[in-house]
Amino acid sequence: MICGGIDIGGTKIEARLFSDDLATVEMRRIATPKDSLSDFIDALAEQVRWLEQLSGEAQSLPIGMAIPGLIDAQTGRAFTSNLPASGHDIGLLLSNGIARRLPLMNDCQAFALSEANGGAGEGCRSVVGLIMGTGVGAGLTIDGRLTERFNGSALEVGHIGIPAHVLVPRDLPIWPCGCGKHGCFEQYVSGNGLAALGSHRLGRPLKAEEIVASAMSGQADHMALLSEWAHIAAELLLIIQLGHDPDCIVLGGGLSGIPDVVPMLEKPFQSLLLGEMRMPFIRTAIHGDSSGARGAAIMATRQLS
Ligand SMILES: [Zn+2]
C-alpha cells in the first residue's frame, strides 16, 4: 500500500511519499512556521494536499505524522517545546482544512517503528531506537509493534538522572536541563552534551562536530573527550538494558554518524553489563533522515488494516 508520512520538526516539515515496500518515492521540505499557529496548521495542510495529489489516491492515501514531543493519549493535545502548536490537538485543528483526521505520533517512537520494520532492527523481537542528536530520546517496539504508552511519551531516557558513580569520579558538575531538572543524561550525551563536556574539560567553547573531527584526525585531547562521552553514553545503554532488556538497540540522530560509534560504545557497555547478561545488538539506523516520516506512515497504514 502506498502511504505518506510527515515529519514535523522545529525547523522543517518534511513530507514523504512511500512505495508499497516503504521506499521513499518523493520528498518535500518546507520551513516550519515558528510564530503563528494558523500558519503552522496551513503549512501542514499544504504538505498533506501535496502528498494526496502526488499519490493520485486523494483522501484514501494513509498519512501519519510525527512530532518531537508528547501526545496526550486522552486529550490528543501535543506538548513540544519548538512548535507553535504546543498544547493543541494538532490532528483536530488540521482536520478543518483537509476534511479528515490524521494520526500523530512521537518522533522517537516513529524512529523505532521504522527501524524495527525493514530497518536495522528487522528480525529482532525487542528493539529500542535511541536517538542521540540535539536531544536524546528513544522508542520501544516488541515484535515490530509499539507498546502502549500511558502518557503518550517516548522512552524519555534523556531525562533520566545521571548516576552519582558516573559524575563523581569524573568530577563533573550537575548541569541543569531544559526540562527543569538537573543532571539529566541528555546534558552529557547529546550533541550539545558532548560540546559541553569538551568546553568543560578544555576551557573553551567547542562544538560536537569539531570534537569528532579532531578526534578522528588523532588529536589526543579530543580523542580522550570522545572516549569519555562513549563511557557516559554506555551508562545510558546499561540503564536501557536494565529497564527493557531489548535484543537490539538502534542508534539514530547526529551522533550515530560518529565513525565507528558502535565499537566505541560496545566496549564500555560490555564492561558495565551485570553478571552473565548478554550484550544486545548495537546497530546504526538504516533509514536515517526518513525514519520519522517512514514510522508515521507505517502507523497510518496499520490503522487502516
Ligand atoms: Zn531533562
Side-chain angles (χ1 to χ4, degrees), residues 158-160 176-187:
H159 300 288
I160 291 175
C177 181
C179 74
K181 299 201 312 162
H182 288 75
C184 296
F185 260 104
E186 184 169 289
Q187 298 307 311

Side-chain angles (χ1 to χ4, degrees), residues 195-196 198-207 210 214 219 221-222:
S199 304
H200 178 72
R201 291 285 182 235
L202 301 184
R204 60 188 169 88
L206 282 168
K207 290 185 173 163
E210 189 182 346
S214 301
Q219 196 173 316
D221 51 358
H222 287 212

Side-chain angles (χ1 to χ4, degrees), residues 40-119:
F40 172 77
I41 296 297
D42 287 348
L44 271 184
E46 186 188 325
Q47 290 292 58
V48 171
R49 287 190 209 100
W50 177 75
L51 284 169
E52 289 176 347
Q53 285 167 12
L54 182 68
S55 69
E57 300 277 316
Q59 293 206 336
S60 56
L61 180 74
I63 300 174
M65 304 183 291
I67 61 157
L70 183 153
I71 300 115
D72 188 311
Q74 289 177 1
T75 66
R77 293 195 298 162
F79 296 91
T80 170
S81 51
N82 296 322
L83 300 175
S86 190
H88 296 275
D89 183 336
I90 295 174
L92 180 65
L93 292 174
L94 179 62
S95 68
N96 296 326
I98 61 167
R100 62 171 166 149
R101 180 145 188 158
L102 302 183
L104 181 68
M105 73 191 304
N106 170 275
D107 62 349
C108 293
Q109 299 271 69
F111 170 70
L113 187 61
S114 175
E115 290 298 329
N117 291 276

Side-chain angles (χ1 to χ4, degrees), residues 43-301:
L44 271 184
E46 186 188 325
Q47 290 292 58
V48 171
R49 287 190 209 100
W50 177 75
L51 284 169
E52 289 176 347
Q53 285 167 12
L54 182 68
S55 69
E57 300 277 316
Q59 293 206 336
S60 56
L61 180 74
I63 300 174
M65 304 183 291
I67 61 157
L70 183 153
I71 300 115
D72 188 311
Q74 289 177 1
T75 66
R77 293 195 298 162
F79 296 91
T80 170
S81 51
N82 296 322
L83 300 175
S86 190
H88 296 275
D89 183 336
I90 295 174
L92 180 65
L93 292 174
L94 179 62
S95 68
N96 296 326
I98 61 167
R100 62 171 166 149
R101 180 145 188 158
L102 302 183
L104 181 68
M105 73 191 304
N106 170 275
D107 62 349
C108 293
Q109 299 271 69
F111 170 70
L113 187 61
S114 175
E115 290 298 329
N117 291 276
E122 177 71 43
C124 296
R125 292 208 64 186
S126 170
V127 176
V128 166
L130 173 64
I131 295 182
M132 291 190 293
T134 312
V136 172
L140 170 68
T141 64
I142 307 288
D143 293 333
R145 295 189 167 269
L146 291 168
T147 54
E148 274 303 310
R149 306 290 298 164
F150 177 59
N151 278 300
S153 68
L155 300 187
E156 294 291 353
V157 294
H159 300 288
I160 291 175
I162 195 161
H165 74 258
V166 179
L167 291 187
V168 174
R170 294 180 172 86
D171 197 21
L172 280 171
I174 301 172
W175 284 321
C177 181
C179 74
K181 299 201 312 162
H182 288 75
C184 296
F185 260 104
E186 184 169 289
Q187 298 307 311
Y188 304 82
V189 301
S190 64
N192 290 337
L194 174 57
L197 203 59
S199 304
H200 178 72
R201 291 285 182 235
L202 301 184
R204 60 188 169 88
L206 282 168
K207 290 185 173 163
E209 300 83 352
E210 189 182 346
I211 294 169
V212 172
S214 301
M216 291 304 134
S217 68
Q219 196 173 316
D221 51 358
H222 287 212
M223 288 169 73
L225 278 176
L226 204 53
S227 170
E228 183 171 28
W229 169 83
H231 278 77
I232 299 173
E235 294 276 0
L236 180 58
L237 296 182
L238 174 67
I239 287 175
I240 290 171
Q241 203 64 32
L242 293 176
H244 303 284
D245 202 19
D247 44 324
C248 182
I249 299 176
V250 182
L251 307 174
L255 295 182
S256 70
I258 294 173
D260 293 326
V261 69
V262 170
M264 191 184 292
L265 291 171
E266 277 178 337
K267 200 172 170 197
F269 183 31
Q270 177 76 63
S271 71
L272 293 171
L273 287 169
L274 299 186
E276 298 302 310
M277 277 182 96
R278 283 174 292 140
M279 181 128 97
F281 294 114
I282 309 287
R283 295 172 178 161
T284 51
I286 287 179
H287 296 291
D289 285 348
S290 72
S291 276
R294 191 173 176 277
I298 293 171
M299 174 190 61
T301 56

